C-alpha cells in the first residue's frame, strides 16, 4: 500500500525525520512550511517521493491550495501529521493578547484547517491517520508558558474530539506527548549529552507505528521521553 | 474582610447564583456580560453591593473599562470568576473556522484579558482568587463538539499554568469541572427531573469554599456532578 | 442534623484535626486507631461527642466490633473517613513482598472493611459520606515508593468504583489528593517554614465542605497543596 | 539481538498472541501460568524457542524457580510481560475481603515478584523491558468491579513508580491500557461482530513496538481500542 502523507510544519528536527521515515517506508510526502528555501532543499534531498509546498497553515486559502498541490502530485491524502507549533515562554503577566492568539492560531486553528482538508480525502477513500504532535504542556499546564500551554491543551482536546468522531469512520486520530527536548541537528548522537534528548528518528519510528496499527487496536495517546528524563 | 469580585459572563443560571452567593457572603460584585438589560435588572435586584458593567470580554478596551468601573465603585478586585463560555455542538466536519475561533475567543482569550486586569489588583493587595468554570469537555474531548472541547481544554491549560505562576504570589487559581447539566431557571427544585441537574446555588457554595480556602491548602481542581449522574 | 462519623486512622496531625472539626460542627465521632492510649487522651479532650475505639482496621472482626461500639454510643454512622495509610519509602529493588502487602492491607483492604460496615448504616438511613485521604502518589507513581504508590493508586480506584456504585444510592464518595507535607504538631503556625506545609485544620475545612455538599453537586476529587508548593 | 522473554500469565488470547509474536521476532520465551497442560501444548506448538513453566506467580518460591528454569533454558531475561490479572465483577456490597485480596494478589503482588526476579537479570545485562497489561479500569474506577479496579489501579501505580526508578538504569517500563474486549478464540476474524473486539495479534504488534523502542524515546503508557469502540 502506497500512502500519501502531509506533514504540516516541517523543519530541521522531528519534521524532517518524519519525512525521511515516511519516504523510507514507501510513502509520498507533501511538506508544508512557510520557508520555501528550506522545503525545496529537503524535497530535493528526498527525491521524487516528496514535494515542497510552501504554506502558511493559518491561512485557509493557502491550506486548500497546499492540499490541492499534494493531490495533483501524489493523489488523495491518507496520512496527516499536525506538527506545527507556536508559543513563547511567557507567563500571564508578560504575554500580550497577540502572542497568546498566535500560539493558538498556529497550533490549533491551523490543525483544524489541515484536518478538514485531509478528512475529505480519507472519507472518500479507505480511511487514514491523523497524528498530532503534543508536548508535556498538553497534559500539565506550564508555569511561565501560558500561551503554549493553552494552545497545546486545545490541540489535545481537538484530537480527543476528532478521535471519537472519526474512529468509527475509519480514521485513526492519535496524539503524541513528547516529554523532553528533541536532539538538535548540531548535537551528535555520540555526544555525552545526547542521552538527554529524544532522537527525532526514534520518535519517527513511533509515529510510523501509529500509522500501521490495525484498526482493531488503535492508540489515541502515547508519550515519549528519554530514558534519563525525570518526570 | 470585604472582598470585591468580578463575575465575567453573568447570565440566568450559575452566573446569577454566584452573584447572589457572593453578595450574601459580604462581597461587592461587578457583573460583566454583553446584555445590558439583563445586567441592570440583576444589579437592581442585588442592591448596592452589585454593579452592572456591560462588557464584551473579547474586547481589550472594554475589559479595561469594565475593571475601571468596578474599581471606581468598590475598590481593587480580589476575586475573579472566568465564567464566560462559547462553542457550538459541531464536529470537525461541520464547524467553520469562524465558529472554532469564536469558542476560543470567548472562553480562553476573554479569560486572559480579565485575568491580566485582575491580577494587577491582586498583586498590589493581599492576593486573591481566580476561579475558572470548566466542563467535562475540559478533561475529555467530546465527539461532535470540537470547538467547545478545544476551548475548554485551552482554559484548563491556562488555569494550570497560572496556578503555578501565581500561587507563590498569593493568588489562588482554581478550575471547576462541572459534569452535567445545570438546572435551568424554569425547572423547579421539586420537579421529578430536578435531581438530574446540578443546582446552581449548590455549585456556588463550592465556588465560595474555594474563595475561603486557607493558602496552606488550596485546591487547583474539583469536579461537581449530580448524585445520579453516570460518569 | 446531628451526624455520626467514624475516622479510621486517627493520629496527631490531620486525623486529630478532622476529629476536632467534626465535633465543632456538631458531629459525634468514633475514633479508630491501634494506639489505645493516644485515642483515650484525644477522646477525653474532645468530650462527650467522641469515643475512642482501639481498632486494627486490617482485622475484619475488630472493624465489626468497632462499628458496633460507635453505633452503641451514637447511633448509625453517616460519615466515614478512610484515613489510615501505610507504606515505606522503598523502590522495587529494596521492598520485601511483606512490606508491599502491608501498605496495601492498611490503605486498601482496611478501607474496604470500614466502607462495607459503614455503607450498611448509610443505606438504611438517609445516605452518607465516605472520604478517602489520598496523596500525590495516588495520581503519579513515585520513584522509590512502590508500595505506597501501589496502595494509594488502589485506594483511588476503589473510591472511583464506589462513587459510581453508591452515588445513585445517596452515598457521596470523595477522594482528597493531599499534595505536600502536613504541618507536624511541633512546627508552629508562625514559624518561618510553616508556609511549606498544609495546615491540618485547613485541610479539615475542605473535608467538612465535602460532607456538607448538596447531592446535586458532589465532588469526587479535589487536590490540596500549600500555595508555595511546586507541582 | 536475541532476547529472552517471560510472559507471566499466558492463556488463550492475548498471552498466546504475545508468545507467538515474540518467537516470530526471534525471542526465546518462558511461558508462566498455573495450567501445565495448556502450557505444554502451547510450548510444543511454538517449538524450541519456548519453554512451559507451570508457575503460580503469587508464590515467591515458584516465581524464583520459574525464572531459574527460564535462565537454564535460554539465559538471562531481557523482557517481562506482567500479564496475569484477576478480579470478579462485584461492587462494594457484594465482594468478600478474600475476593478483593485475590484480585490484588494476582495482579499486583505477582507482578512485584516477577519484576524483582527479572530486574536482577536486566541490571546485570544491557537493560530490558517490562510491560504491564492494564485495562480501562486502571484509569477509571469501574462501578461494580471494586476488586478489579483497585488491583488495576495498583498495577498502574507500580508501573509508574518502576518507570521512574528503573528508566535511568536502562530498563524500559511500560503500561498498556486495553480499552475493550479482546477477540475470543471462537470468534472468527471475518465475523460480523469481530470489529467490536481488539485482535490479540494486533495488540501484540504494539507490545513488540514497545520492546524495540530506542531508549531515547520510550513510552510509559499507550492505550489500545477498536476503531468502533465508544469511549
Amino acid at each position: 500500500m502506497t500512502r500519501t502523507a502531509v506533514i504540516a510544519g516541517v523543519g530541521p528536527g522531528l519534521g524532517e525525520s518524519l519525512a525521511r521515515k515516511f519516504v523510507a517506508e514507501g510513502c509520498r510526502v507533501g511538506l508544508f512550511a512557510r520557508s520555501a528555501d528550506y522545503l525545496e532543499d529537503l524535497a530535493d534531498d528526498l527525491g521524487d517521493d516528496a514535494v515542497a509546498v510552501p504554506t502558511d497553515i493559518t491561512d485557509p486559502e493557502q491550506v486548500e491550495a497546499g492540499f490541492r498541490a499534494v493531490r495533483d502530485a501524489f493523489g488523495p491524502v491518507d496520512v496527516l501529521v499536525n506538527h506545527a507549533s507556536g508559543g513563547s515562554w511567557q507567563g500571564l503577566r508578560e504575554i500580550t493578547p497577540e502572542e497568546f492568539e498566535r500560539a493558538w492560531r498556529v497550533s490549533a486553528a491551523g490543525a483544524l484547517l489541515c484536518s478538514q482538508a485531509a478528512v475529505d480525502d480519507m472519507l472518500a477513500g479507505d480511511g487514514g491517520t491523523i497524528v498530532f504532535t503534543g508536548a508535556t504542556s498538553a497534559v500539565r499546564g506550564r508555569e511561565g508558558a501560558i500561551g503554549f500551554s493553552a494552545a497545546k491543551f486545545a490541540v489535545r482536546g481537538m484530537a480527543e474530539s476528532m478521535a471519537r468522531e472519526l474512529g468509527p469512520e475509519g480514521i485513526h486520530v492519535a496524539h503524541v506527548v513528547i516529554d523532553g527536548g528533541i536532539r538538535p541537528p548540531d548535537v551528535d548522537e555520540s555526544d555525552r549529552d545526547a542521552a538527554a534528548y529524544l532522537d527525532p528518528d526514534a520518535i519517527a519510528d513511533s509515529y510510523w507505528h501509529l500509522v500501521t496499527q490495525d484498526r482493531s487496536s488503535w492508540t489515541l495517546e502515547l508519550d515519549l521521553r528519554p530514558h534519563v528524563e525525570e518526570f
Side-chain angles (χ1 to χ4, degrees), chain A:
Chain A
M1 173 181 184
T2 304
R3 292 178 176 91
T4 298
V6 166
I7 302 172
V10 178
L14 179 51
E16 186 168 322
S17 288
L18 290 170
R20 290 188 193 286
K21 174 71 179 175
F22 285 17
V23 167
E25 295 288 348
C27 294
R28 291 156 310 189
V29 181
L31 309 167
F32 285 17
R34 278 185 302 171
S35 162
D37 289 353
Y38 168 75
L39 281 188
E40 293 296 349
D41 288 352
L42 179 59
D44 283 353
D45 196 40
L46 288 170
D48 290 347
D49 290 327
V51 58
V53 190
T55 308
D56 176 348
I57 60 161
T58 67
D59 178 337
E61 290 182 20
Q62 289 195 36
V63 170
E64 205 176 309
F67 273 84
R68 217 179 307 124
V70 175
R71 280 183 208 113
D72 288 348
F74 301 135
V77 173
D78 307 292
V79 178
L80 168 65
V81 181
N82 285 311
H83 185 59
S85 184
S88 52
W89 301 118
Q90 293 174 299
L92 177 81
R93 289 171 288 176
E94 300 96 40
I95 201 166
T96 64
E98 292 71 28
E99 288 161 326
F100 186 77
E101 177 167 343
R102 181 78 198 154
W104 168 82
R105 199 165 287 285
V106 173
S107 299
L112 184 85
L113 296 175
C114 291
S115 299
Q116 289 183 320
V119 158
D120 287 341
D121 284 17
M122 295 175 186
L123 290 173
D126 288 332
T129 306
I130 300 176
V131 185
F132 289 84
T133 298
T136 309
S137 297
V139 291
R140 185 180 170 287
R142 181 174 178 147
E143 178 187 346
I146 190 171
F148 185 66
S149 298
K152 283 300 193 184
F153 265 72
V155 163
R156 188 171 182 243
M158 291 177 67
E160 289 193 10
S161 175
M162 285 170 53
R164 293 188 166 95
E165 175 185 347
L166 300 171
E169 311 293 331
I171 298 174
H172 179 193
V173 180
H175 180 254
V176 178
V177 176
I178 297 181
D179 183 17
I182 299 175
R183 203 179 66 222
D186 59 344
V187 174
D188 192 80
E189 206 174 328
S190 59
D191 275 10
R192 185 197 298 223
D193 298 335
Y197 293 107
L198 295 107
D199 179 338
D201 293 340
I203 300 175
D205 288 343
S206 286
Y207 277 63
W208 185 248
H209 177 66
L210 292 170
V211 172
T212 61
Q213 280 184 321
D214 181 81
R215 67 170 58 186
S216 85
S217 304
W218 277 349
T219 293
L220 169 57
E221 188 165 272
L222 60 80
D223 54 308
L224 294 170
R225 67 179 58 77
H227 81 288
V228 295
E229 182 79 9
E230 284 193 34
F231 68 105

